[in-house]
Amino acid sequence: MFELVAPYSPAGDQPQAIEKLVAGLQANAAHQVLLGVTGSGKTFTVANVIQRIQRPTLVISHNKTLAAQLYAEFKSFFPRNAVEYFVSYFDYYQPEAYIPRSDTFIEKDSSRNDEIERLRLSAMSSLFARRDVIVVASVSCIYGIGSKEDYEAMVIPLRVGMAFSREQLLSRLVDIQYSRNDVAFERAQFRVRGDTVELRPGYTEDGLRIEFFGEEIDRITRFEPLTGEVLEQLEAVVIYPGKQFVTTNEKLKAAILTIREELGDRIAWFEKHGKLLEAQRIKMRTEFDLEMMEQLGFCPGIENYSRHIAARPPGSRPTTLIDFMPEDYLLVMDESHVSVPQIGGMAAGDRSRKTVLVEHGFRLPSALDNRPLNFEEFQSLQKQTIYVSATPAPRELGWAKESARARRRAGDLQSPSVATGTTQTTQPTSASDGGYKPPARGDDGVVELVVRPTGLVDPTITLKPLKGQIDDLIEECRKRVERKERVLVTTLTKRTAEELTDYLRDIGINVRYLHSEVDALERVEIIRALRKGQFDVLVGINLLREGLDLPEVSLVAILDADKEGFLRSETSLIQTAGRAARHLHGEVILYADVQTDSMKRFLAVSKYRREKQLAYNAAHGITPRSVTRAVEESLSSQKEERATAEAMLNEAAGDFDVTETIRELEAQMIEASNNLEFEKAALCRDQINELKRMVSGEAPSKTFTYGKPRKAKARKDGTPKWTPRV
């Protein structure tokens, strides 16, 4: 059973939103929209809905960073339940590709994160073992994984007193992709000590010790792999596969035969059309993979043969994480205006790349069936869905309204006048208000979450002319700096962001920039440094939108706001403005000479929300207060601590137990990984490697600086290279 743990209760618009969403789910509403403004507690609202309906839930976010944030929040709300994290396990991923024009083959290059892979396997095993499961996933959940039936068939149930020999267990462990290693003891590995078998499951941090007495299981123990400490005596346990792609020996042998048949047909086709090079290429590459599969039961890129392994017909959809979800699961699409289009575009891009590989003999045609779901297939697996966004797209709104109309026709939903018992207060649309029409009060499948529990209202909007925008921006920045507040500035191009940063730094403002070319670790460090006050102004482009939780930001300045387009659309303006919505003195400045249609709609939305928020505060005597949130330890301080530690180690070389120190650092690394503090874990890993280098007598490794500002450029006469627009 889901048990919500929180130090506060629903407030503001949250109680009515929870009731409407729960009522819709109980009335079999296929689609609902939670239109929640920034800082309104959308995650807490969804958590309350999950507790009320008591159903397994899949939460999809559009990127790994936001998914990690949601995972941490749900895990704090449901500490006694299974909250899982399912994202791509690649820290870096470059898929294989071929460029015919230059005859260039780009081999697959990836950096796998073992910890994230463990979390993926944990999610799959939890879905088999229990119902109180919340899986927070990125769009990687629509990519193919191993067959659910094969995965279920390969599990190993064990219990004390069971007639099961040591040799049987070892054979079964090999079948489910565990390997023997009596020296190192890593995940998805086992070791043998007489009548005792110890293994580290691929999906948990703990180890399992299986002790035999003859042909019978005598004892099952859960222990800490690092120290050997016994944690728990178990009566029974289920061991799940160590990899996502597993199958029985019989199915693997059958798959090898069908792959050879396809290979023969493909070679014949290439030879018939005079493509001898392609014929030789596909033969060599596939034969190598088949030999590995015959000898090891696995090969790099085995997912490209998933259709044969699962015995699926050509063109059929792959098995995904969604197939592992129970039939009555609830789907939550976070930031749906981004997540839904992202899901819709995955399949086409994947097929385009693989088609070229197939045509030139790098992959068999069956590799095309190793793919993400297309949108129609995703919809066929989709159950009751809640779309969460401050700016839901017309598509999600249309689905919600159609679902409401269908329920109304079926008699499950009353008409608006009957349902509310009052006259609708929806404002008419007009040119003056940007054509904005507030959503109806829940009768159309759209649930508003506008009033914040903190009493904060949407930031004030100020329009200023383009002429002199930089001089005005400088003055506004200095005002905020004096009050120890932070500023976000959005530009249209990367070059403008960098040059504006240089100019502001030259005149004494502590500023940095942020855009897509900045390394991921460096982005994390920059955001944390901004919150800690190490600098005051952050200049960026599109990264200053949904998902950035920055309570210290009181001003968002949008340069060239009248340049209609993606970066200055209604959605972008609302999302960008939301970054100032967590501060009591939040303000948004639009620098523009004309009001575009997007600006008009944005102003109308802001006006409607502010009026509703102010009215609620006045009626309930609420005094607004800024959002406060602790700042996590930054990478800079961690690196300083590491540097100090390294200096002490160098001075006291030989005065400490290196092995014990490494064990302690490994424990810290594991703890950080479990808390999804991957940057901190990486630093612990670097410390371990540094110790090992020191012991072996190697030179220190290269050091890196995160979030270091660029050196300002200047002309020979000393003036800034960039002249601001006035």
Side-chain angles (χ1 to χ4, degrees):
M1 299 292 288
F2 287 103
E3 183 179 352
L4 177 62
V5 178
Y8 40 79
S9 302
D13 266 356
Q14 292 173 351
Q16 61 87 25
I18 295 168
E19 292 298 328
K20 289 178 179 178
L21 290 171
V22 170
L25 293 172
Q26 293 174 344
N28 298 317
H31 305 276
Q32 296 184 92
V33 171
L34 178 60
L35 199 163
V37 301
T38 302
S40 59
K42 296 187 287 290
T43 305
F44 182 59
T45 300
V46 172
N48 277 272
V49 172
I50 294 173
Q51 184 193 34
R52 290 277 300 275
I53 64 171
Q54 294 290 316
R55 284 159 52 184
T57 302
L58 173 62
V59 182
I60 298 181
S61 179
H62 65 282
N63 68 50
K64 189 182 295 184
T65 303
L66 292 184
Q69 180 178 311
L70 286 171
Y71 169 78
E73 291 176 352
F74 278 114
K75 201 167 183 66
S76 67
F77 290 142
F78 297 101
R80 300 179 182 90
N81 304 111
V83 180
E84 306 290 351
Y85 186 63
F86 191 95
V87 300
S88 171
Y89 52 74
F90 295 113
D91 286 332
Y92 169 78
Y93 178 64
Q94 177 182 276
E96 61 181 1
Y98 180 67
I99 306 173
R101 181 181 298 178
S102 59
D103 190 27
T104 303
F105 176 66
I106 303 172
E107 292 193 33
K108 179 179 177 179
D109 185 11
S110 63
S111 173
R112 295 167 68 111
N113 189 307
D114 291 335
E115 179 62 24
I116 293 182
E117 186 171 20
R118 181 191 69 79
L119 292 170
R120 287 169 63 96
L121 291 169
S122 176
M124 295 167 66
S125 61
S126 292
L127 289 170
F128 272 102
R130 53 199 300 179
R131 277 187 56 82
D132 60 330
V133 181
I134 300 173
V135 180
V136 181
S138 66
V139 292
S140 62
C141 68
I142 68 170
Y143 279 80
I145 56 177
S147 165
K148 179 184 179 182
E149 290 74 21
D150 290 345
Y151 191 91
E152 189 172 13
M154 298 298 286
V155 301
I156 307 176
L158 302 174
R159 68 178 185 277
V160 175
M162 179 180 180
F164 201 82
S165 69
R166 190 195 70 164
E167 287 69 26
Q168 285 179 288
L169 177 61
L170 299 182
S171 177
R172 290 293 307 279
L173 288 174
V174 172
D175 290 341
I176 63 174
Q177 299 301 320
Y178 283 72
S179 60
R180 180 168 179 171
N181 193 328
D182 291 329
V183 180
F185 195 37
E186 306 294 338
R187 293 193 188 96
Q189 292 183 345
F190 65 90
R191 61 190 182 193
V192 184
R193 300 286 189 271
D195 287 336
T196 300
V197 178
E198 294 180 345
L199 63 99
R200 287 195 66 179
Y203 47 88
T204 181
E205 288 291 345
D206 302 330
L208 289 174
R209 183 178 292 123
I210 316 296
E211 300 176 51
F212 293 86
F213 184 79
E215 302 292 308
E216 184 178 291
I217 296 176
D218 185 55
R219 184 185 302 170
I220 302 175
T221 306
R222 185 169 63 87
F223 69 97
E224 168 55 52
L226 194 63
T227 63
E229 177 187 359
V230 174
L231 301 176
E232 185 182 8
Q233 296 287 340
L234 303 174
E235 288 297 319
V237 70
V238 176
I239 303 174
Y240 294 93
K243 295 187 182 295
Q244 298 169 50
F245 288 90
V246 291
T247 189
T248 61
N249 287 328
E250 292 74 18
K251 294 189 71 173
L252 184 61
K253 291 177 181 178
I256 291 173
L257 292 176
T258 59
I259 294 170
R260 289 194 183 279
E261 291 177 4
E262 185 184 14
L263 175 61
D265 294 340
R266 193 60 177 167
I267 293 173
W269 189 91
F270 277 135
E271 291 176 345
K272 179 181 178 181
H273 291 81
K275 297 184 176 182
L276 302 183
L277 175 62
E278 287 81 356
Q280 184 66 19
R281 179 184 290 151
I282 192 65
K283 180 180 179 181
M284 292 178 60
R285 291 174 61 89
T286 308
E287 288 287 359
F288 178 80
D289 290 343
L290 288 172
E291 185 174 351
M292 289 196 67
M293 292 166 66
E294 289 174 335
Q295 299 297 323
L296 304 176
F298 195 81
C299 74
I302 193 173
E303 62 272 10
N304 290 293
Y305 306 104
S306 58
R307 192 243 291 169
H308 292 281
I309 295 173
R312 294 189 284 112
S316 60
R317 71 166 182 83
T319 301
T320 68
L321 176 71
I322 303 177
D323 292 284
F324 284 72
M325 299 295 300
E327 189 66 26
D328 62 340
Y329 82 96
L330 171 66
L331 176 61
V332 178
M333 299 289 290
D334 186 59
E335 302 291 356
S336 60
H337 64 286
V338 181
S339 302
V340 173
Q342 195 174 38
I343 289 175
M346 288 290 181
D350 182 82
R351 187 173 185 85
S352 176
R353 174 179 60 84
K354 286 183 179 172
T355 298
V356 177
L357 292 171
V358 170
E359 291 175 347
H360 292 85
F362 291 95
R363 287 293 177 190
L364 293 173
S366 58
L368 295 174
D369 291 322
N370 169 42
R371 58 177 178 81
L373 299 173
N374 60 44
F375 199 69
E376 290 72 24
E377 291 167 340
F378 172 76
Q379 287 183 306
S380 69
L381 297 174
Q382 189 176 354
K383 302 301 180 181
Q384 287 184 291
T385 305
I386 298 175
Y387 304 94
V388 182
S389 175
T391 54
R395 182 161 48 177
E396 297 101 74
L397 294 171
W399 290 334
K401 292 176 180 178
E402 178 58 35
S403 178
R405 284 195 291 268
R407 287 188 293 138
R408 193 173 291 116
R409 288 193 296 268
D412 296 328
L413 185 65
Q414 297 176 316
S415 63
S417 60
V418 177
T420 63
T422 59
T423 305
Q424 280 294 98
T425 58
T426 300
Q427 302 171 357
T429 62
S430 67
S432 62
D433 64 8
Y436 179 69
K437 180 181 179 180
R441 300 167 64 177
D443 63 287
D444 60 353
V446 180
V447 178
E448 277 195 324
L449 193 60
V450 174
V451 177
R452 300 180 176 88
T454 58
L456 284 175
V457 300
D458 276 27
T460 58
I461 313 295
T462 304
L463 274 67
K464 295 186 177 182
L466 291 175
K467 185 176 181 180
Q469 62 177 341
I470 302 302
D471 291 337
D472 185 82
L473 173 65
I474 294 170
E475 183 181 352
E476 293 291 341
C477 288
R478 286 172 172 164
K479 290 180 183 177
R480 266 63 184 190
V481 172
E482 290 176 0
R483 302 203 298 255
K484 300 186 182 301
E485 298 169 358
R486 315 287 187 264
V487 180
L488 299 182
V489 182
T490 65
T491 65
L492 289 173
T493 65
K494 297 175 184 177
R495 181 177 179 180
T496 303
E498 294 177 4
E499 292 180 341
L500 177 59
T501 301
D502 290 340
Y503 181 78
L504 295 176
R505 187 182 296 118
D506 287 341
I507 62 174
I509 294 177
N510 199 351
V511 59
R512 295 187 192 179
Y513 68 82
L514 184 69
H515 54 61
S516 59
E517 293 183 4
V518 177
D519 180 77
L521 282 180
E522 196 170 349
R523 293 182 212 171
V524 175
E525 168 62 13
I526 290 173
I527 294 298
R528 289 175 179 170
L530 176 69
R531 295 202 58 210
K532 292 189 72 172
Q534 295 178 7
F535 67 98
D536 305 302
V537 180
L538 179 60
V539 183
I541 309 171
N542 197 34
L543 296 178
L544 305 182
R545 291 177 56 196
E546 57 272 329
L548 284 185
D549 186 3
L550 305 171
E552 295 79 11
V553 171
S554 67
L555 173 64
V556 172
I558 302 177
L559 303 183
D560 302 307
D562 55 2
K563 302 299 185 290
E564 185 77 85
F566 173 73
L567 294 176
R568 297 296 181 264
S569 65
E570 176 190 356
T571 297
S572 292
L573 292 173
I574 293 175
Q575 290 286 354
T576 303
R579 298 319 101 200
R582 291 180 171 87
H583 200 282
L584 183 62
H585 305 123
E587 182 183 1
V588 178
I589 299 179
L590 303 178
Y591 292 100
D593 287 335
V594 298
Q595 287 194 31
T596 63
D597 291 340
S598 294
M599 290 175 60
K600 291 178 181 178
R601 291 191 295 270
F602 163 56
L603 292 170
V605 170
S606 179
K607 179 183 176 183
Y608 164 75
R609 292 178 177 177
R610 282 180 59 86
E611 289 177 350
K612 186 173 182 179
Q613 292 159 354
L614 290 169
Y616 184 91
N617 290 348
H620 295 82
I622 296 176
T623 301
R625 62 185 189 278
S626 293
V627 175
T628 57
R629 187 168 65 87
V631 183
E632 297 178 5
E633 185 182 9
S634 71
L635 288 176
S636 295
S637 62
Q638 293 171 17
K639 287 181 69 64
E640 291 172 2
E641 292 175 2
R642 185 179 74 171
T644 303
E646 288 176 355
M648 293 175 62
L649 291 176
N650 290 328
E651 292 177 3
D655 294 337
F656 64 95
D657 189 337
V658 176
T659 303
E660 183 61 28
T661 303
I662 291 175
R663 287 167 65 93
E664 291 176 0
L665 288 172
E666 287 176 342
Q668 294 176 21
M669 180 177 65
I670 292 172
E671 183 181 359
S673 297
N674 289 337
N675 296 330
L676 295 185
E677 298 173 348
F678 298 119
E679 300 88 0
K680 185 176 181 179
L683 292 177
C684 291
R685 178 200 61 198
D686 293 344
Q687 284 184 278
I688 295 170
N689 293 336
E690 207 65 41
L691 277 174
K692 292 179 179 178
R693 290 190 184 93
M694 186 185 71
V695 174
S696 62
E698 298 180 16
S701 61
K702 181 181 178 181
T703 58
F704 299 89
T705 301
Y706 299 103
K708 184 178 181 180
R710 288 189 331 142
K711 185 178 181 180
K713 299 177 182 178
R715 296 188 178 95
K716 293 181 179 180
D717 60 1
T719 60
K721 187 175 180 180
W722 181 62
T723 303
R725 173 181 172 182
V726 295

